[in-house]
Amino acid sequence: MTEADFAFLREYLRKRSGLSLGAEKRYLVESRLTPVCRRFNIATLTDLVGTLRLSREGALEKAVVEAMTTNETFFFRDRAPFDLFRDVLLPKAIAARASQRRLRIWSAAASTGQEPYSLAMMLHEAAAQLAGWQIEIVGTDLSTEVLEKARLGLYSHFEVQRGLPVQLLVKHFTQVGEQWRISPALAGMVSFRPLNLLSPFEHLGQFDIVYCRNVLIYFDAPTKTDVLERIAKALAPDGALLLGAAETVIGLTEALVPDPQHRGLYRQAAAAGRGAMPHRLAAGF
């Protein structure tokens, strides 16, 4: 792969996925896109670049973008954001939404589903307090391949060992051969939809809580600003956004501000005058 090929791929991926690759990531591009070449019977990465320059063939473009996305995830990853959900966000939401009895949560980089299913387990533990509520968890991701796995809710022994307490495994999963399938009750609480965060997402509606963790780190500053400002518009006026430990809104947007009491938690800077958007409802307890 020539320097010109690499420069083309860096810009190609930035425009289509927001992925900002440094010059040192050339090895990563080569290692991840070489299998794509084999899959599409393309001889070399230079030939792949030539094909991408001349064609907007959907399957190839999709394969190139998805091959470069990072899908590292596991149940209750980094634990603190889930403790915050249990101890702070959910109690506040129950109090604030007592008259409406509805709650919408967005997992904006759902990958293979462990994050939204972890939230579903925590909501299930609070089922007595949420009796009669309408609960919806929306999981989105750029990659349709990982979303297919998320919808199946079928995980390897290695995957359920990563972060999932054994009591929750026994309670919410059924063993299927050497794999574990999540219960229909939890699966019914989560809907998965393909979404590129660079694309409009107003159609998703308004959310009370948004988890967008460990995805902005791959974007350049202008892309981060754009995504954060559109997420701010998707938040309920008293809603909450959780970012990854290495992510922040500081220096990127004034639409969101850090919560002074809780690391990684952000809220709207100014919600006055913002009209409420209708909630789309799903499974209830």
Side-chain angles (χ1 to χ4, degrees):
M1 181 172 62
T2 67
E3 287 298 328
D5 294 338
F6 181 47
F8 170 83
L9 287 170
R10 289 171 67 183
E11 183 64 10
Y12 185 89
L13 291 163
R14 187 191 65 79
K15 287 182 177 179
R16 286 160 178 80
S17 69
L19 182 63
S20 180
L21 292 170
E24 77 282 0
K25 297 296 185 181
R26 178 170 175 162
Y27 77 95
L28 184 67
V29 172
E30 292 175 338
S31 65
R32 292 192 178 183
L33 294 188
T34 296
V36 175
C37 290
R38 289 197 294 266
R39 176 180 164 190
F40 285 85
N41 295 315
I42 297 172
T44 67
L45 287 171
T46 294
D47 292 333
L48 172 65
V49 168
T51 302
L52 293 174
R53 287 182 186 277
L54 296 173
S55 172
R56 289 297 303 270
E57 200 279 307
L60 178 60
E61 179 177 329
K62 178 173 175 287
V64 167
V65 172
E66 292 195 4
M68 292 304 304
T69 58
T70 299
N71 296 305
E72 168 68 7
T73 187
F74 51 89
F75 291 102
F76 299 100
R77 183 181 182 183
D78 303 327
R79 193 66 211 193
F82 297 96
D83 291 343
L84 185 61
F85 178 79
R86 180 195 63 214
D87 299 335
V88 177
L89 299 181
L90 185 55
K92 284 188 175 181
I94 290 174
R97 304 290 186 270
S99 60
Q100 299 171 311
R101 292 193 168 196
R102 60 186 65 175
L103 182 66
R104 298 193 77 227
I105 302 169
W106 179 18
S107 173
S111 187
T112 46
Q114 285 93 322
E115 179 176 89
Y117 285 139
S118 295
L119 293 168
M121 285 182 241
M122 301 191 85
L123 287 164
H124 192 275
E125 294 300 307
Q129 297 171 273
L130 295 168
W133 282 57
Q134 297 291 332
I135 306 292
E136 183 180 13
I137 305 172
V138 178
T140 66
D141 201 276
L142 171 69
S143 171
T144 55
E145 182 178 346
V146 298
L147 288 178
E148 288 173 9
K149 178 176 173 63
R151 290 189 187 99
L152 283 174
L154 195 62
Y155 299 96
S156 68
H157 190 64
F158 172 74
E159 288 169 320
V160 297
Q161 281 187 317
R162 297 187 73 196
L164 183 64
V166 65
Q167 65 269 27
L168 294 181
L169 173 64
V170 172
K171 185 174 185 178
H172 295 298
F173 289 77
T174 302
Q175 191 164 8
V176 181
E178 296 183 356
Q179 295 184 298
W180 295 82
R181 185 182 300 279
I182 200 158
S183 71
L186 290 189
M189 293 173 63
V190 185
S191 62
F192 292 99
R193 309 177 196 181
L195 179 74
N196 187 333
L197 287 173
L198 271 60
S199 303
F201 45 73
E202 293 89 347
H203 62 282
L204 294 178
Q206 188 184 65
F207 293 93
D208 302 297
I209 300 169
V210 175
Y211 277 69
C212 185
R213 302 192 303 136
N214 307 311
V215 60
L216 296 180
I217 54 174
Y218 299 107
F219 297 166
D220 60 23
T223 304
K224 291 177 183 179
T225 296
D226 173 63
V227 172
L228 285 168
E229 292 186 345
R230 288 187 290 119
I231 288 177
K233 293 177 182 179
L235 275 176
D238 59 348
L241 166 66
L242 290 101
L243 299 179
E247 297 166 327
T248 183
V249 305
I250 297 172
L252 294 169
T253 178
E254 295 181 357
L256 295 157
V257 293
D259 186 295
Q261 295 181 310
H262 304 288
R263 181 180 174 86
L265 179 63
Y266 302 86
R267 300 187 183 278
Q268 286 186 1
R274 182 174 295 160
M277 297 168 64
H279 285 268
R280 294 178 61 186
L281 307 181
F285 284 108

